[in-house]
Amino acid sequence: MGVSFVKGIQGGDKTYIKVGATCKHFAAYSLENADGYSRLSFNASVSQRDAVDTYLPAFEACVTEGHAQSVMCSYNAVNGFPTCASPDLLQKQLRQEWTFPGVVVSDCGAVEGVFRNHKFAKSMAEGAADTLKAGTDMSCADYSYLRDSLNEGLIEQIDIDMALMRVLTQRFQLGMFNPPEQQPWSTIPMEVVGSQRHLEAAIEAVRKGSVLLKNKKLMPHHGSPKGLPLDASMLKKVSVLGPFANSPEMLLGNYYGTPAGPVTTPFEAIKAYLGDGVDVQLHEGTRVTGYAPNSEDAINACTDRDVCIFFVGSSMIAVHEQQGPGNAYAMWSGTTEGEGFDRSHIRLPGSQEEIIKAAAVNTDTLIIVVLVHGGPLDISWLEKSDRISGILSAWYPGQGAAGIADILFGKTSPSGKLPVTFYYDNYTTIQTMSSMDMRSWPGRTYRYLQEPELYAFSHGLSYTTFEYQKLALKAFPNAAADPNAFTAQVEVHNTGNMEADEVVHLFVAPGPALLEATPVAALPRKSLKGFARVTVKPGQHQTVQLPLSSKDFQYAASDNAVQDGSSLQIVHGDWVVHMGTEYVPCAVSPVVPLRHDVETVKASQWLSQT
C-alpha cells in the first residue's frame, strides 16, 4: 500500500517527480504519550528479530520498490540512539543496505531534541553535528546550529556539502531550476484542485474502504426482516443521531488543508439520497466527550421512526462547541485519538454508547451504527446486542460522506476489509504500551496475538455471499532460480444476488510440524503476503492469481539476527497457504521445487487439525 501511495504521489515521468514522497516515521515510532513516557524522549528497545520482521520491512519496500524521495527520522530513540542521530538506521540500514540515495529529513524539532529531550548530546551544536554525520540532511525546524558545529570542529565542510548535494538533487528532480515548459507537471491547472473528479475519488474511497462489521436482519413486530441495505422506497421517517452526523470538521481527521468546497456531512448525504419525500431529522444526542447523554432525546428521536442511524466514534480534533441557552458558554470537545495521544481505553469515548443503548432498550426501531474513527474500538455491546442490526466502519470519510449513503441504501455493496485488529478493551490493561516486543504475551497485531479479538484483521462483510473454490499452487517459470516461486490461484464465486467487489487476501502460516519445531511465537501465526480486488456478478466467478516466492517465507533466525550475521532466512518446512476459506498445505525447501498437497482443505478442517 505504501509503495502504491508513493508511486501515485511522485508520478510516472522518467526525468521529473511530481511531488517528493516522504516515508515516516523511521523507525519503531509506536508510542506517543503512555506509561509515563513521551514520544520526544522515549527510547524504543527493539530486538533485531522484531526490527527485521516488523518495524523495518515497510520502510524497505517504500525506498527500494516505491523509490521514495525522502525518509523522515522520528522523535524517539531506538536502542539508545535518537533515530535522527543513529548511524545504524540512517547509514548502515537505509543508505548501505537499501542503497537509498534520497533525503533524510527530521521530524519537526527532532534535531533539537537530541540535546534537549534525549540528553544524548552535550550541546545544541553537538546534537546538530550528531544528526548531520548520522545522515540527517534537513531539519524540519532549525539547523542553524551547524554553524557552531563547524566552528567548533565537530563537523567538516564535506559533511554539509553531502547533505546539500542530496537536497539540491531532489530540487532538480522537481524541476525547480528548469524552464516550466520542460517540467510536465507545470501544466496542471489550479482548477484540478477540488474538481468533480477529485470529489468522486473521495466518494469512491469511502465506498471501497468502508467496512461492514455486522449485518443482522431483525424481525419487527410486523412485516419482513429489516436490515442493511436499507430499502429507500420503504422509508418515510428517518432519524440521524450522534456527534459525527453533521460536523464537517470532525469528518476530516487532522492534518488537512482547507477543502476547496463544502464538505458534505452524513446527515446531508442521507437527506440528499432520500429526497424531499422522506422526513429526515437530525438529533445530536451527545458530544464526543465532556457531556452527559441526552438519553430522553435519543429515545424520542427513535420512537415511531422507520430507522435510527447513529454516527459515533473517536475525534482527532478539538472542536469549539457552544453549549447552553443562547450559547451561554463555550466548551472544547476533547481529542480522543491522534498525534500526541495514546488511548488509555478503546471504548467509545464519552457517553456515545449510552444514547444508543437508551434507544435500543426503550424503542423497537431498527438501529444502524456508523463508526467515524481512526483506530480500533471495543464495540462488543453493539456487536452482541440483538437490537443493533448493522455496524459500518467509515473511518474518517473526509469529503466522501456521500459514499456512506450509497452503502446504507444499497447503491453499492461494502467491500472494505479491516487493516487492523479490533481488540477487546482489556487489551489496553494487559499490554504494556511502552514495550515494543511483538511476540511476548499477549502479542501484538494479528500475526502474534495470543488473546481473542472482537474483529479479526481482514474481517469485512458484504451484501452478497462469496465462495472460494479450487485453490491451487502453480510453479513460476523461474522455479530453477527460486524453487519456492509460485502462484496461488483461487476462484471467487458470487453465490448471492448482488454484484459486488471482494478483496481477496493471501496468507501464509506455519504448519503444525513447523510450529512444533520452533520456539513459541518465533514465527507469526500467519502473515499477509498479497491481496487483490475483484468485481464479481451474481452467479459468476473470477479467478485470482497472486505470486509468492522464497522471500515470503523469510523470517529472522534469532533475536540477534543482524549481529549474528543471519538476518532474514528462509524457514524451510511445512507451511499452509490460504485464501478466503481455502487452505493448501505445502513444503518449502532450499533446493527442491515447492510441493503441495493436491487436496484443498477447507478452513474448518485445517483449523481442527492445528
Side-chain angles (χ1 to χ4, degrees):
M1 293 174 66
V3 169
S4 297
F5 198 90
V6 168
K7 289 182 175 180
I9 287 177
Q10 295 188 165
D13 190 79
K14 294 182 180 180
T15 304
Y16 296 99
I17 56 173
K18 181 164 54 175
V19 176
T22 301
C23 297
K24 59 181 189 176
H25 301 85
F26 191 59
Y29 182 60
S30 297
L31 180 142
E32 293 285 330
N33 194 347
D35 296 344
Y37 296 102
S38 163
R39 60 180 176 158
L40 302 178
S41 57
F42 177 62
N43 176 42
S45 179
V46 181
S47 72
Q48 292 299 327
R49 170 174 273 168
D50 283 338
V52 298
D53 277 354
T54 299
Y55 291 108
L56 297 181
F59 288 98
E60 180 180 9
C62 190
V63 300
T64 61
E65 299 176 40
H67 304 292
Q69 291 293 305
S70 60
V71 169
M72 177 178 282
C73 51
S74 51
Y75 288 122
N76 61 291
V78 173
N79 297 336
F81 283 81
T83 64
C84 294
S86 172
D88 276 352
L89 281 175
L90 303 186
Q91 294 290 355
K92 183 178 178 181
Q93 192 68 63
L94 189 60
R95 299 206 187 277
Q96 295 174 22
E97 295 291 329
W98 300 339
T99 64
F100 175 65
V103 172
V104 174
V105 58
S106 78
D107 204 339
C108 297
V111 168
E112 294 95 319
V114 171
F115 165 66
R116 287 177 177 161
N117 301 318
H118 290 284
K119 311 302 181 186
F120 182 80
K122 297 177 181 178
S123 65
M124 294 295 291
E126 184 178 295
D130 288 341
T131 58
L132 184 70
K133 290 189 294 185
T136 301
D137 304 305
M138 291 180 63
S139 171
C140 179
D142 188 1
Y143 231 172
S144 63
Y145 300 102
L146 288 177
R147 295 191 187 94
D148 297 331
S149 307
L150 186 62
N151 292 334
E152 294 174 22
L154 299 173
I155 58 173
E156 298 180 9
Q157 186 64 48
I158 193 171
D159 297 319
I160 297 176
D161 291 344
M162 286 297 295
L164 179 63
M165 180 185 69
R166 288 191 282 259
V167 171
L168 289 178
T169 297
Q170 187 173 99
R171 295 186 66 183
F172 275 107
Q173 290 174 317
L174 287 165
M176 291 183 172
F177 303 105
N178 291 4
E181 58 269 18
Q182 294 183 12
Q183 214 273 42
W185 313 112
S186 64
T187 58
I188 300 176
M190 278 301 297
E191 289 75 19
V192 168
V193 179
S195 63
Q196 186 61 33
R197 180 183 174 188
H198 287 185
L199 179 59
E200 285 297 326
I203 296 172
E204 187 68 5
V206 172
R207 293 191 190 112
K208 291 184 175 181
S210 296
V211 182
L212 184 60
L213 300 174
K214 174 184 179 179
N215 194 18
K216 181 178 181 180
K217 299 289 185 180
L218 301 182
M219 179 65 73
H221 294 310
H222 54 82
S224 58
K226 295 181 179 180
L228 292 174
L230 300 170
D231 186 348
S233 67
M234 301 297 292
L235 300 177
K236 299 300 180 185
K237 295 180 290 184
V238 175
S239 287
V240 180
L241 300 92
F244 295 88
N246 201 40
S247 173
E249 190 175 17
M250 293 176 69
L251 305 177
L252 299 174
N254 63 6
Y255 280 92
Y256 55 84
T258 302
V263 176
T264 300
T265 67
F267 167 70
E268 293 168 340
I270 291 170
K271 195 170 178 62
Y273 192 102
L274 295 176
D276 295 335
V278 179
D279 175 23
V280 182
Q281 295 184 3
L282 174 68
H283 301 262
E284 191 168 51
T286 186
R287 308 293 173 91
V288 179
T289 60
Y291 292 83
N294 192 337
S295 298
E296 184 178 349
D297 181 53
I299 294 169
N300 292 336
C302 292
T303 299
D304 193 28
R305 310 296 286 181
D306 296 319
V307 62
C308 263
I309 307 173
F310 286 86
F311 286 85
V312 295
S314 186
S315 174
M316 294 186 80
I317 59 170
V319 181
H320 193 206
E321 299 170 329
Q322 300 295 329
Q323 168 78 3
N327 296 331
Y329 62 92
M331 191 170 184
W332 287 88
S333 178
T335 303
T336 53
E337 68 174 314
E339 183 172 6
F341 289 84
D342 278 318
R343 293 178 291 167
S344 59
H345 68 81
I346 52 175
R347 302 183 300 275
L348 273 174
S351 54
Q352 296 177 93
E353 189 172 286
E354 293 178 44
I355 64 167
I356 302 174
K357 286 182 177 179
V361 171
N362 294 284
T363 75
D364 61 359
T365 298
L366 181 71
I367 294 176
I368 305 296
V369 176
V370 180
L371 302 178
V372 179
H373 64 120
L377 293 166
D378 181 354
I379 50 168
S380 48
W381 185 89
L382 303 179
E383 169 62 30
K384 295 174 184 176
S385 173
D386 290 334
R387 285 287 296 116
I388 308 302
S389 175
I391 306 173
L392 179 72
S393 168
W395 310 107
Y396 291 107
Q399 294 170 274
I404 299 175
D406 290 342
I407 292 174
L408 293 177
F409 301 109
K411 183 178 179 179
T412 187
S413 173
S415 57
K417 305 290 185 180
L418 287 182
V420 293
T421 301
F422 272 43
Y423 306 97
Y424 288 102
D425 186 53
N426 73 324
Y427 185 81
T428 61
T429 62
I430 62 177
Q431 177 62 271
T432 303
M433 291 299 297
S434 54
S435 170
M436 300 294 109
D437 189 341
M438 298 295 296
R439 293 165 165 80
S440 297
W441 182 87
R444 288 178 179 266
T445 78
Y446 77 97
R447 298 167 70 218
Y448 300 104
L449 184 64
Q450 300 163 47
E451 289 290 310
E453 70 272 320
L454 176 59
Y455 298 114
F457 175 87
S458 80
H459 171 74
L461 305 176
S462 173
Y463 288 158
T464 191
T465 53
F466 293 102
E467 184 175 308
Y468 287 68
Q469 299 179 11
K470 301 179 181 179
L471 174 60
L473 308 181
K474 298 184 177 182
F476 262 9
N478 70 334
D482 180 357
N484 302 304
F486 60 96
T487 297
Q489 176 178 300
V490 73
E491 292 182 359
V492 182
H493 292 251
N494 186 337
T495 57
N497 301 314
M498 182 177 183
E499 178 180 316
D501 284 2
E502 170 71 343
V503 178
V504 181
H505 295 80
L506 171 62
F507 290 97
V508 299
L514 186 55
L515 283 175
E516 280 188 25
T518 54
V520 176
L523 294 174
R525 296 166 58 208
K526 64 178 182 179
S527 296
L528 179 68
K529 297 300 180 180
F531 61 92
R533 175 182 289 269
V534 290
T535 303
V536 193
K537 296 180 182 295
Q540 298 185 14
H541 76 271
Q542 294 281 359
T543 300
V544 176
Q545 294 184 332
L546 290 169
L548 283 169
S549 68
S550 288
K551 185 177 181 180
D552 294 307
F553 299 93
Q554 287 182 334
Y555 294 93
S558 71
D559 279 339
N560 299 309
V562 174
Q563 284 93 331
D564 63 23
S566 57
S567 191
L568 292 174
Q569 293 184 349
I570 299 171
V571 179
H572 306 123
D574 67 312
W575 287 83
V576 178
V577 175
H578 59 103
M579 301 171 78
T581 54
E582 301 281 285
Y583 290 71
V584 171
C586 66
V588 175
S589 167
V591 290
V592 181
L594 178 138
R595 307 185 311 276
H596 66 91
D597 295 353
V598 175
E599 180 184 5
T600 299
V601 183
K602 290 292 183 183
S604 57
Q605 295 174 278
W606 182 79
L607 290 172
S608 66
Q609 296 171 12
T610 57

